[in-house]
Amino acid sequence: MNAENRRKKSSLPESVLSTVSDAERRLTLHRLGVLDTENDPDFDKLTKLAATIMDTPISLVSLVDLERQWFKSRHGLDDTETPINLSFCAHAISSEDDVTIVPDAATDQRFSDNALVTGEMGIRFYAGAPIIVFGQKIGTLCVIDKRKRDEPSSKELEQLKMLAGLAASLFELKDGARAGVLVREALDKEEKRRAIAVEAAALSSWAWDARTGEIEYDASFAELFNLPSDKPLRVRDMFLAIDRRDWKDAEALFRSTLAGNDHYFSEYRVRGIDPPRWLATRGRVLARSPDGKPTLLMGVNYDITERKSAEERQRLLLREINHRVKNTLATVQALATQTVRHSSKPNEFLEAFSSRLQALGLAHGLLSDHEWRGIRIAELVNKEVQPFDDAKHARIAISGPDVLLSPDQALGVGLILHELASNALKYGSLSVPEGHVKLSWNVHGLHSARRIVINWREEGGPTVSDPTRQGFGSILIRRSLAKVISSEVVHEFHPEGVRAKISMPLEADEPQY
């Protein structure tokens, strides 16, 4: 559900909805694990005391979630929750005030149409102080009356704030106790968990005891960091093993975790390893002392070198694509300009330009499929000339060894083959039933002197004569490989049929997939 739909459903002002739906706030609320839990006498004492101090029939410890507000403790009320669109407390946690006060809800434009005001419950007076846990407003300690009231005294408001603070402390202490239980259970299973992690997911696990300053770790942890596995390690040893380019960021994130962020995630290179080994760390503070200092942090490390290498290849590919797009736009512009010059009618231009653009698109599509690393010539040839052949009675004979063309070579050859095949179908050997074409290629030379020679030979068609003028198709055939250094294109009109010879240098070593 997007923000607009949530806003319509909740009928909350945008500023209130923004606070209610804040991801960090809701993460803190759900991490406490208290929603839909049993009654807690510790919180019940607070709500009863709040009702007594404020002299109200109803008081609540209300936790504000995305779709509802749920009452961890309630005094004088049977309901356990209400929809978020009726929530007074949602307004309270979005306010900058220490205590949100509504003396008469029936005359307050925010709540005058609220079903809790107009309905059987008949709320008139409300006062709510935010409960702030780990820096996030998760709900309120509030009091409610069914009659309008004057604004409470400053002493009463201060007491309500103190009770909200006590509620917050209770949540944090109980969360710490719950985390302590989880830690003890986790430690009992640590050896088994480590073995499973290493075997199934290639993870190395560790635990940092802040009281001793030492890290307990498995053998794979030391191996990942290129550290000895037979001596005690401290946090400083781990950071000293991180590449100088990354250790400051990694350390800053670690300090943020210790200061209260709780969750730790970092990526970095290991010092002294070439090519670089990339690691990722995920950790979490599982226990803190009463004064908030971390006492136990546990986590895992794993090798992300392959992913980082893939990301680098992707960045290089994007740069290559940007370069190719610029070249392609220049090629399209040249195609359009030259086709216009050699077309006497608009429909001639559209037909010729669309056909040439399609040929360019076919080559581009193949290059894109192969991530611009090149195209096998057989695959390119089939794409470009197959539309001009007869599927039932093939008239274009194709032969040649498996060769990889560079992107520039593939684009140029694709355009040339399209022009040759198009002209053959219109005027040459493919324009008559008995005509045919032989398309072959061979590789000559070794290593840096390797060249591919492509031959186009038309036979059995009408008698050919030299054209009286040079059309753009002929220009395109001769110039499409202008960007390929040391390439040669010969285009000849023999009486027995058109001949074309394309010669280009090849890479000494073809790219490896």
Side-chain angles (χ1 to χ4, degrees), residues 309-383:
S309 298
E311 290 174 355
E312 180 61 26
R313 289 195 299 271
Q314 188 73 10
R315 283 192 290 270
L316 291 173
L317 175 60
L318 288 174
R319 286 199 291 270
E320 176 68 13
I321 288 175
N322 288 335
H323 170 70
R324 297 295 171 189
V325 167
K326 291 179 182 178
N327 285 346
T328 300
L329 290 175
T331 302
V332 171
Q333 186 177 20
L335 283 174
T337 302
Q338 293 296 334
T339 306
V340 166
R341 289 180 183 174
H342 295 83
S343 302
S344 58
K345 298 178 181 179
N347 62 331
E348 289 181 1
F349 165 76
L350 287 175
E351 181 180 357
F353 182 64
S354 297
S355 181
R356 287 159 183 161
L357 205 58
Q358 184 178 16
L360 187 65
L362 287 172
H364 263 266
L366 281 174
L367 285 169
S368 179
D369 290 342
H370 293 283
E371 297 185 349
W372 288 84
R373 292 176 293 186
I375 300 176
R376 298 291 173 185
I377 187 172
E379 191 174 1
L380 176 67
V381 166
N382 285 326
K383 277 281 187 181

Side-chain angles (χ1 to χ4, degrees), residues 267-296:
E267 297 179 349
Y268 42 79
R269 284 157 286 196
V270 178
R271 177 177 293 187
I273 297 180
D274 187 34
R277 175 189 295 160
W278 279 89
L279 301 182
T281 298
R282 288 188 179 275
R284 181 182 175 187
V285 175
L286 295 180
R288 291 182 180 273
S289 63
D291 61 356
K293 294 182 179 180
T295 58
L296 182 63

Side-chain angles (χ1 to χ4, degrees), residues 447-468:
H447 305 299
S448 60
R450 294 170 73 238
R451 294 183 71 86
I452 181 172
V453 178
I454 306 170
N455 286 290
W456 173 278
R457 185 184 183 91
E458 296 183 28
E459 297 175 344
T463 302
V464 176
S465 59
D466 285 329
T468 56

